[in-house]
Amino acid sequence: MTNAAAPAAPATARAELAATLRLAAPLVGANLLQMAVYAVDVVFVARLGEVELAAATLGVYVYGVILFALSGLVGAAAPIIAAELGQRRHAVREVRRSFRMAAWIAVLGSVPFMALMAHGQGLLLLAGQDARVAARTDAFLDILLWALIPAVTGTVMRITASALGRPGWAMAITAMGLGVSVFVNWLLVFGNLGAPALGLEGSAITSLTTATAMMLAYAAVLVVDRRLRRFRLFGNWWRGEWSRLRQIVVLGLPIAATMTFEGALFSAAGFLMGRIGVTEVAAHAIALQIAAFLFQVPFGIAQAATIRVGLAYGARDRLWIARAGWSALAVGTGFMGFTALLLWLFPRAFLSVYVDVDAPANAAMIALALQYLAIAAIFQLADGAQAVAAGVLRGVQDTRVPMVIALVGYWAVGFTISVALGFWTPLAGIGVWIGLALGLLVVALLLVDRWRRREKLGLVRPV
């Protein structure tokens, strides 16, 4: 079966920019709404006290790194599906195979990590965390681990719907998830409408409920939506396609590793903060939440760029590849330059979304968070550039060298400097954040340079 409706190459750079923005806008919206879901959890848990907030923060770090890695692994389906559509040959059958194998990987890949999360207290104690915080984190993770399978499976469905030209569903379903999160948090964390006040455990149950509801909503969309149902994505779900599974794994493992290196860097920074003090962990959590919220815009642009570049890669159109990649880089870095200015000028306004900046009890935490945000404003531009550059390189199915770049930049540079400045100088937490900024800058410069040299490196010669 052919795919005559596959997107055609835009005639001009402006047309490509418009196509990228149309695809990116709902993905950005979905990412921002997803961060709002995480923010809701922080807002509710922050009112339980510093120990509970620190426990939730560290627990989400562990869960987040794993979810980020698995999302990267199954995310390899995006450039593969896009290339299949760009080739316009047997796209229905090939897309279905890619979706099915990505879903298999989502389920099977989650199981060992769920077992790891079940030993959260031991892992945190080995990392030198406060015993009270480690015990509460363990209780949190024992519930949260069950959210992994629906969250990763939902990611596969979201990726597929977006690649097939229905990115708006991602935004709509994430908005629904936000509503579920707010209601169930309100219900269970403090106990409303006769429900028990479960505190931190209530927040974990909320995350599980939200992930499951979103997965089921995506499944319904794939069956009901007129454009999506023609692919019969759940057909022959039991049938293995081993060559396709291997293709996704080979392409996806470096993506997973790259995302793990990045996510683990920020999680490790949280653990470093935990060794400095509980107040530092809380300030770091709030500041990082703000930076991560803003990062969702270039991240959504990167997701769109992977699809747009992937379509051009499948069509073997070098001009289209160049237009798609450079358009995405321009938009992503431009936006982050704007947010850097906002963070520099109005940091207290951002903090006030999460905590009462005028409360005397929060004074020490706010003072630290303001310092961390000043550094976050500086690395916004690098963060946007590295995210979009990684996305465009994935579009041409280049993932192995970017993985090495991430390892060197994030860890050999970023983490080393964070430890050195955080513990061997008076900078403490500020030194940790300086290390993060420098790690991001190195990765951004190397990835953008690799994209610039894509022709010389032979990255745009589809087979």
Side-chain angles (χ1 to χ4, degrees):
M1 184 178 295
T2 60
N3 183 37
T12 65
R14 178 178 294 182
E16 175 56 43
L17 178 61
T20 299
L21 290 175
R22 283 195 301 271
L23 180 58
L27 296 178
V28 168
N31 290 342
L32 291 173
L33 287 168
Q34 186 63 60
M35 288 305 299
V37 173
Y38 298 146
V40 165
D41 294 336
V42 172
V43 167
F44 277 92
V45 174
R47 285 159 175 75
L48 298 175
E50 277 194 344
V51 172
E52 300 294 274
L53 177 58
T57 299
L58 294 178
V60 169
Y61 283 159
V62 173
Y63 173 77
V65 168
I66 293 171
L67 179 59
F68 212 40
L70 290 173
S71 296
L73 178 59
V74 300
I80 292 173
I81 290 173
E84 288 161 352
L85 293 171
Q87 290 172 357
R88 298 178 173 84
R89 291 187 299 106
H90 311 296
V92 169
R93 182 187 309 151
E94 297 305 321
V95 167
R96 184 165 58 244
R97 289 172 175 171
S98 296
F99 169 79
R100 184 164 68 245
M101 290 301 95
W104 279 32
I105 293 168
V107 175
L108 297 176
S110 296
V111 174
F113 289 105
M114 292 171 65
L116 181 67
M117 291 172 65
H119 297 85
Q121 184 173 11
L123 293 174
L124 292 174
L125 290 176
L126 285 174
Q129 301 305 300
D130 181 272
R132 297 171 302 158
V133 174
R136 294 301 295 136
T137 304
D138 189 65
F140 183 72
L141 287 175
D142 282 346
I143 300 170
L144 190 60
L145 65 88
W146 297 104
L148 202 56
I149 288 178
V152 182
T153 304
T155 297
V156 174
M157 297 178 185
R158 167 181 162 160
I159 287 169
T160 303
S162 299
L164 295 178
R166 284 288 196 252
W169 283 118
M171 186 171 177
I173 290 173
T174 310
M176 179 273 293
L178 176 60
V180 171
S181 179
V182 170
F183 177 71
V184 181
N185 263 308
W186 177 78
L187 200 67
L188 296 182
V189 172
F190 299 113
N192 286 291
L193 299 181
L198 299 178
L200 186 64
E201 287 80 356
S203 178
I205 293 172
T206 298
S207 296
L208 170 59
T209 303
T210 302
T212 303
M214 291 176 65
M215 180 193 69
L216 294 175
Y218 277 120
V221 163
L222 296 182
V223 173
V224 173
D225 182 276
R226 180 173 298 178
R227 181 182 297 182
L228 301 177
R229 70 186 181 193
R230 66 183 289 265
F231 289 88
R232 302 189 303 277
L233 292 170
F234 294 106
N236 299 328
W237 61 266
W238 63 88
R239 181 178 297 169
E241 301 285 350
W242 308 117
S243 62
R244 184 57 47 82
L245 187 144
R246 181 179 182 278
Q247 182 184 9
I248 294 173
V249 170
V250 169
L251 185 62
L253 281 177
I255 299 175
T258 299
M259 297 177 76
T260 299
F261 295 150
E262 181 180 4
L265 173 66
F266 287 96
S267 294
F271 288 123
L272 293 179
M273 291 293 187
R275 297 182 71 91
I276 296 172
V278 173
T279 303
E280 282 77 3
V281 172
H284 174 77
I286 299 297
L288 189 58
Q289 186 81 10
I290 293 170
F293 189 88
L294 296 173
F295 172 75
Q296 298 313 303
V297 175
F299 187 45
I301 295 168
Q303 292 169 321
T306 296
I307 295 171
R308 294 298 303 173
V309 174
L311 288 166
Y313 181 80
R316 302 173 182 249
D317 189 328
R318 282 180 168 79
L319 179 58
W320 186 5
I321 289 172
R323 284 175 174 171
W326 287 119
S327 295
L329 280 165
V331 173
T333 54
F335 177 83
M336 290 306 265
F338 174 69
T339 61
L341 182 63
L342 292 180
L343 274 180
W344 188 266
L345 294 176
F346 309 109
R348 291 180 70 87
F350 284 96
L351 289 174
S352 66
V353 174
Y354 296 90
V355 293
D356 183 354
V357 296
D358 297 318
N362 294 333
M365 181 176 68
I366 295 299
L368 287 171
L370 286 171
Q371 293 175 325
Y372 300 158
L373 282 181
I375 301 169
I378 297 171
F379 74 54
Q380 288 291 293
L381 195 62
D383 206 10
Q386 65 86 21
V388 180
V392 298
L393 289 170
R394 287 168 195 157
V396 295
Q397 303 189 14
D398 177 42
T399 61
R400 293 184 183 180
V401 173
M403 173 188 68
V404 176
I405 290 173
L407 176 62
V408 172
Y410 294 139
W411 287 90
V413 177
F415 184 72
T416 299
I417 294 175
S418 289
V419 172
L421 296 182
F423 293 93
W424 297 342
T425 76
L427 291 173
I430 297 174
V432 172
W433 274 72
I434 291 174
L436 296 178
L438 292 176
L440 287 168
L441 179 61
V442 168
V443 173
L445 291 174
L446 292 176
L447 290 179
V448 171
D449 181 66
R450 184 166 177 80
W451 172 253
R452 183 183 62 83
R453 296 186 298 118
R454 64 193 179 280
E455 292 280 355
K456 293 181 180 179
L457 296 173
L459 301 180
V460 292
R461 297 174 184 168
V463 296

